[in-house]
Amino acid sequence: MKFISTRGLSPALGFSDAVATGLAPDGGLYLPESLPRFSADELKRFATLSYAELCFEFISRFATDIPADTLRALVAKSYTTFTHGDIAPVVKLDEKTYVLELFHGPTLAFKDFALQLLGNLYGNQCKVRGQSINVLGATSGDTGSAAIHGLLGKPGTAIFILYPDGRTSPLQERQMACTGAANVHALAISGTFDDAQAALKELFADQEFRTRHRLSAVNSINLARILAQCVYYLWAWLRLPENTRNEIEWVVPTGNFGNVLAGWLLQKMGVPLHSFRVATNQNDILHRLFTTGDYRTSTVTPSLAPSMDIQVSSNFERFLYYSVGRDSAKVREVMETFKKTGAYTFENFDRDTFTASRTTDAEIPGIIRQVYQDYGYIADPHTACGFKSLAKDRPSIILATASPAKFPDTIVSAIGIEPTHPSLEALKARPLAKHKLPAEASAIRAYLDQHAV
Ligand SMILES: *Cc1c(COP(=O)(O)O)cnc(C)c1O
């Protein structure tokens, strides 16, 4: 299987190369050249597999350049770090309301699903090629810690994570800066997540720098992340009651559009997922897009759901590619206009099976309280955005993207209960090792020149 760039100006690559490259040289994002279709018989067979076996079955359709036994072992190892036997448990709240818990990995947020696997894929690549890899990413919170825990202590790798200083939760910062691992660099940038991402894009655009350090991206544009995330939708669909699963709306707390895009791609592969709701916080670029067809950036306002504090949703480009009939020239035109003017207005925007909702900070604590009253369930502030305006005419499954224990202040203010988790308690005693840098490509470049492996 080959992978092509959404912008159509980069050569197609095999799985391992596309994963190692991250952002395509033409500025586009990689997608499978064609999507496999899963037949009803195959889906039936999948129902009896363990999470890791299911993941192997799915990923092996794409990672055709990795020997099956190697891939099976890498996948199996990736999910041993999860603390729940089901890996991604489906919790029934009532006849019409389900939660898919995606926070039982090492950093207690859904990004572990992809980044534990990506870390092992990188580790394998270092071994196979006999070359080191330097991973560079920007995070608004959970990506950084999940990426760090995917690569922690892996020989031949170093990881550099940029995050907006003071804008991640203290616990998220501790997960990044208290690992004690020598190959981990937590870089606190003076600016927003979008500033950090802009600096990062500039560094990745510099081919010489990129090649010299064998740089790889780990933010949510990486192809392997999207594919790994398809698996829990499939897992959950297989576990929902048969009379419900083809009718249910998938509600996804969204920032960079990576999580929900994975579900949508799985739908395009023949798994009958009905529809998706893109649940944003007050940083609502996607809500505006899906309600008006206007894709327009605005300033980021820090919120109680910080991992969704984004006004440019990188993975939207992948949806766009399909939405404009796989026309790369059109994708380039939209993305260039958006880059130049900060906006693109679609004439007849095809929403496909997406709807959207928007939840402000003023609403989040009230929703957490209501969900606790109605179901005795504690939703973290991101997941709470998904509980806003549940569909009346059909059942819903809300993707719970983080453990409430990561956001104790908001939970306490909402319901007066402090959620805890043993792995977070242990972090509080460890020293913080972060490096402060301005949000400028030159400063980050100099740091990497010094510390890359
Ligand atoms: C990253 C993150 C999101 C947003 O996911 P996207 O793939 O960027 O849409 C939502 N909730 C939590 C807890 C996250 O860490």
Side-chain angles (χ1 to χ4, degrees), residues 193-344:
F193 168 72
D194 289 336
D195 295 334
Q197 210 176 30
L200 185 113
K201 275 210 160 153
E202 199 178 322
L203 292 178
F204 273 105
D206 179 344
Q207 289 298 332
E208 187 279 327
F209 182 75
R210 195 170 151 175
T211 312
R212 182 155 48 89
H213 290 311
R214 292 167 305 282
L215 271 197
S216 193
V218 80
N219 51 13
S220 66
I221 60 161
N222 197 291
L223 167 77
R225 288 188 59 176
I226 302 296
L227 296 177
Q229 289 168 186
C230 294
V231 178
Y232 50 70
Y233 285 90
L234 180 54
W235 170 261
W237 181 82
L238 291 165
R239 263 145 204 85
L240 286 164
E242 282 188 36
N243 59 357
T244 300
R245 65 189 186 187
N246 295 358
E247 298 305 318
I248 205 161
E249 176 162 86
W250 299 75
V251 182
V252 189
T254 306
N256 239 329
F257 204 66
N259 191 355
V260 70
L261 177 86
W264 183 78
L265 281 176
L266 189 70
Q267 184 198 59
K268 299 299 149 223
M269 297 177 206
V271 184
L273 307 188
H274 183 273
S275 53
F276 302 90
R277 176 150 58 82
V278 172
T280 76
N281 65 18
Q282 61 204 19
N283 295 298
D284 59 352
I285 181 170
L286 288 171
H287 177 253
R288 285 181 281 115
L289 170 71
F290 281 104
T291 50
T292 68
D294 192 31
Y295 189 56
R296 183 177 301 272
T297 187
S298 69
T299 52
V300 174
T301 23
S303 82
L304 294 174
S307 297
M308 310 191 323
D309 286 351
I310 278 165
Q311 284 290 10
V312 178
S313 294
S314 327
N315 274 299
F316 168 62
E317 182 167 342
R318 286 188 162 108
F319 174 69
L320 175 67
Y321 173 79
Y322 293 104
S323 162
V324 298
R326 310 188 60 151
D327 177 351
S328 294
K330 182 71 187 175
V331 173
R332 292 199 298 275
E333 181 209 314
V334 173
M335 295 316 293
E336 275 156 27
T337 306
F338 181 74
K339 189 177 174 188
K340 252 188 251 146
T341 66
Y344 192 94

Side-chain angles (χ1 to χ4, degrees), residues 8 18 36 39 73 83 105 121 159 175 180-181 195 213-214 296 298 306 356-357 410 430:
S39 67
T83 54
L121 288 170
I159 176 161
Q175 285 183 324
D195 295 334
H213 290 311
R214 292 167 305 282
R296 183 177 301 272
S298 69
S357 65
T410 307
R430 302 241 196 102

Side-chain angles (χ1 to χ4, degrees), residues 2-13 18 21-33 223 317-318 321-322 326-329 331-332:
K2 291 279 187 204
F3 297 85
I4 52 165
S5 165
T6 47
R7 300 203 187 172
L9 300 177
S10 299
L13 298 177
T21 307
L23 189 70
D26 61 10
L29 309 184
Y30 287 106
L31 278 169
E33 196 171 46
L223 167 77
E317 182 167 342
R318 286 188 162 108
Y321 173 79
Y322 293 104
R326 310 188 60 151
D327 177 351
S328 294
V331 173
R332 292 199 298 275

Side-chain angles (χ1 to χ4, degrees), residues 131-152:
Q131 273 190 335
S132 60
I133 295 182
N134 289 290
V135 170
L136 175 61
T139 186
S140 57
D142 290 330
T143 306
S145 48
I148 284 169
H149 287 261
L151 282 175
L152 202 62

Side-chain angles (χ1 to χ4, degrees), residues 2 112 246 364 397:
K2 291 279 187 204
D112 288 327
N246 295 358
I364 287 176
I397 182 164

